């Protein structure tokens, strides 16, 4: 497998671009005149919410979207994976056409769904630029209350998403691997120097158990297409906070194991509620649509612990390289607390708490 597939220590991949350059790219590539631009949270990409003036010079657009667009400048590593970007584009189009709301890709003036742009003088490196229709609404992170009812609805929605994605297929995902996929957890050992001795031991123990219980048994689990990053900032709620209206950010989508989407979701929902018992309601909602196998149930705890470790370690590493981006520390606040609470409880006790005996 190519070294270019994975982020490596010391590698800086986030695009270096300012708002002025971003506006010029939108006008040149998409024929749209920007009247307002605001940067959105992101790990390795640069994302902007843009509003455009009426009137346009892109015959692929019937009208200007009043809610605006998301401009995504893809990091230098993923910008090399054109077939994966094409897969993400087709996945979003497929979901929009099949009743699941998500960002809708917009064609460039030349008719393609992305453009390769050189952002820096005296450099041959190019970054993929994409534009998608913005999906308005309240992000789950901003929910007034993270109630059991909301957790149930989130679990139910994600199972519906999972089922629908199994009708999708794209060759671009076949050999796609990144550091953020759950089956890449063992690779976080390369970033352990950001941890103190106590936390390094816990994380290493989690990785060892993940290798034994998950990586050595992958053939036991259903495989298909997954979102890959179902966190509190990628789930859009209805105004009354009772249902899920959209799912966003397909940058970590992949062909992988279906149980991974549920366990990633569980991780971030428990970080939001700061209560491991809330996981029970997510699982209950999920199983109203897709029943879990006994083998899948047996790895939920270790997968959640592994995702926590992945997010904690890579978040610390990324913040070290981008110290002004506090978004990168979003897991740190309650992540270590939840990890230790989960890790030091027996599998049997967690199964009782989550009602998955």
């Amino acid at each position: 497998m190519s070294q270019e597939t994975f982020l490596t220590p010391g590698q800086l991949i986030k695009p270096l671009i300012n708002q002025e350059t971003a506006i010029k790219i939108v006008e040149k590539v998409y024929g749209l005149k920007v009247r307002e631009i605001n940067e959105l949270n992101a790990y390795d990409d640069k994302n902007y919410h843009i509003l455009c003036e009426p009137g346009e010079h892109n015959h692929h657009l019937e009208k200007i979207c009043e809610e605006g667009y998301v401009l995504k400048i893809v990091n230098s590593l993923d910008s090399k994976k054109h077939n994966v970007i094409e897969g993400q584009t087709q996945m979003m189009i497929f979901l929009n056409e099949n009743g699941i709301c998500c960002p809708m890709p917009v064609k460039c003036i030349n008719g393609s769904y992305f453009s390769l742009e050189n952002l820096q003088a005296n450099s041959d490196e190019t970054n993929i630029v994409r534009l998608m229709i913005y999906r308005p609404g309240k992000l789950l992170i901003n929910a007034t209350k993270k109630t059991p009812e909301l957790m149930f609805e989130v679990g139910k929605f994600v199972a519906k998403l999972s089922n629908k994605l199994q009708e999708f297929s794209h060759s671009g995902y076949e050999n796609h691997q990144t550091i953020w996929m759950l089956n890449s957890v063992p690779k976080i050992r390369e970033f352990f120097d950001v941890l103190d001795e106590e936390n390094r031991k816990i994380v290493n123990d989690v990785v060892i158990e993940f290798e034994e219980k998950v990586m050595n048994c992958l053939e036991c689990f259903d495989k298909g297409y997954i979102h890959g990053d179902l966190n509190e900032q990628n789930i859009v709620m209805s105004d009354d906070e009772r249902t899920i209206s959209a799912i966003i950010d397909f940058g970590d989508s992949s062909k992988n194991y279906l149980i991974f989407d549920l366990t990633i979701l569980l991780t971030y929902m428990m970080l939001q509620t700061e209560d491991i018992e809330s996981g029970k309601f997510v699982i209950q909602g999920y199983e109203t649509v897709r029943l879990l196998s006994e083998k899948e149930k047996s790895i939920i705890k270790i997968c959640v612990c592994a995702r926590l470790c992945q997010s904690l370690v890579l978040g610390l590493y990324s913040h070290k390289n981008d110290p002004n981006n506090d978004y990168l520390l979003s897991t740190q606040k309650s992540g270590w607390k939840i990890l230790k609470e989960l890790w030091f409880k027996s599998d049997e006790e967690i199964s009782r708490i989550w009602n998955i005996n």
Side-chain angles (χ1 to χ4, degrees), residues 188-203:
I188 64 173
R189 288 192 177 102
E190 298 175 16
F191 301 85
F192 274 9
D193 62 349
V194 299
L195 300 174
D196 61 34
E197 188 175 348
E198 177 192 353
N199 288 335
R200 184 181 302 191
K201 182 183 186 313
I202 293 172
V203 172

Side-chain angles (χ1 to χ4, degrees), residues 27 29-33 55-61 64 108-109:
E27 293 180 352
V29 176
Y30 291 94
L32 299 174
K33 186 170 179 59
E56 36 77 22
H57 303 283
N58 185 338
H59 68 275
H60 299 289
L61 287 173
I64 298 296
C108 308
I109 293 173

Side-chain angles (χ1 to χ4, degrees), residues 14 39-47 72 249 322 325 327-328:
K14 190 157 187 169
E39 188 166 355
L40 301 170
N41 288 329
Y43 250 85
D44 298 320
D45 300 328
K46 273 277 195 174
N47 297 334
K72 179 178 281 288
D249 194 352
D322 189 6
N325 189 350
Y327 170 67
L328 302 173

Side-chain angles (χ1 to χ4, degrees), residues 13-16 44 73-77 79 114-120 124-130:
I13 62 172
K14 190 157 187 169
L16 297 174
D44 298 320
I73 316 293
V74 180
N75 67 76
S76 59
L77 195 57
S79 287
F114 68 83
S115 175
L116 280 169
E117 298 296 321
N118 190 316
L119 305 180
Q120 292 178 282
D124 294 330
E125 188 167 84
T126 56
N127 290 78
I128 284 178
V129 173
R130 315 171 69 190

Side-chain angles (χ1 to χ4, degrees), residues 71-328:
L71 174 69
K72 179 178 281 288
I73 316 293
V74 180
N75 67 76
S76 59
L77 195 57
D78 289 340
S79 287
K80 295 178 173 67
K81 306 171 185 176
H82 299 186
N83 57 342
V84 176
I85 299 297
E86 289 168 359
Q88 293 172 9
T89 297
Q90 292 306 315
M91 181 180 284
M92 287 184 281
I93 292 171
F94 168 83
L95 289 173
N96 276 299
E97 291 176 347
N98 284 273
I100 294 181
C101 184
C102 65
M104 186 67 174
V106 174
K107 286 184 177 180
C108 308
I109 293 173
N110 67 9
S112 66
Y113 278 108
F114 68 83
S115 175
L116 280 169
E117 298 296 321
N118 190 316
L119 305 180
Q120 292 178 282
N122 305 317
S123 173
D124 294 330
E125 188 167 84
T126 56
N127 290 78
I128 284 178
V129 173
R130 315 171 69 190
L131 195 69
M132 290 156 281
I133 291 175
Y134 178 79
R135 298 306 188 189
K138 182 182 286 188
L139 297 180
L140 191 143
I141 190 174
N142 298 321
T144 308
K145 292 181 180 178
K146 278 80 173 183
T147 63
E149 291 79 13
L150 179 58
M151 295 298 103
F152 183 93
E153 286 300 318
V154 172
K156 185 177 176 181
F157 181 91
V158 166
K160 288 180 179 177
L161 172 68
S162 184
N163 280 353
K164 183 53 66 176
L165 279 176
Q166 302 333 301
E167 300 171 20
F168 171 79
S169 182
H170 194 280
S171 60
Y173 285 108
E174 284 303 320
N175 299 305
H176 179 43
Q177 291 287 326
T178 75
I179 192 71
W180 276 104
M181 291 180 187
L182 202 55
N183 49 345
S184 297
V185 159
K187 294 192 72 66
I188 64 173
R189 288 192 177 102
E190 298 175 16
F191 301 85
F192 274 9
D193 62 349
V194 299
L195 300 174
D196 61 34
E197 188 175 348
E198 177 192 353
N199 288 335
R200 184 181 302 191
K201 182 183 186 313
I202 293 172
V203 172
N204 192 54
D205 288 346
V206 170
V207 174
I208 290 170
E209 185 168 318
F210 182 80
E211 289 174 322
E212 292 173 355
K213 291 186 175 180
V214 181
M215 297 300 291
N216 290 340
C217 306
L218 289 175
E219 70 280 357
C220 300
F221 309 114
D222 289 342
K223 192 171 186 180
Y225 292 88
I226 68 171
H227 178 278
D229 192 20
L230 293 163
N231 67 51
E232 69 283 355
Q233 303 207 45
N234 289 338
I235 298 171
V236 183
M237 303 177 300
S238 59
D239 290 339
D240 62 9
E241 300 184 10
R242 292 184 178 180
T243 57
I244 309 307
S245 62
I247 202 86
I248 61 175
D249 194 352
F250 285 75
D252 288 310
S253 56
S254 67
K255 188 175 184 181
N256 225 306
Y257 299 92
L258 306 192
I259 188 62
F260 288 175
D261 249 0
L262 172 61
T263 52
I264 289 168
L265 174 70
L266 273 171
T267 301
Y268 293 109
M269 294 306 97
M270 289 189 293
L271 285 171
Q272 284 299 292
T273 60
E274 299 188 27
D275 178 13
I276 62 172
E277 189 173 347
S278 65
K280 172 176 67 177
F281 306 110
V282 177
I283 295 169
Q284 284 176 351
Y286 186 92
E287 285 212 285
T288 62
V289 176
R290 178 181 179 268
L291 290 176
L292 296 164
S293 69
E294 291 305 311
K295 191 66 177 176
E296 286 175 325
K297 290 179 182 178
S298 73
I299 63 164
I300 291 178
K301 177 196 163 185
I302 184 58
C303 283
V304 171
C305 288
R307 181 57 171 199
L308 282 165
C309 290
Q310 196 176 35
S311 187
L312 288 163
V313 170
L314 295 178
L316 283 172
Y317 166 77
S318 297
H319 190 262
K320 182 179 176 182
N321 291 309
D322 189 6
N324 294 320
N325 189 350
D326 289 337
Y327 170 67
L328 302 173

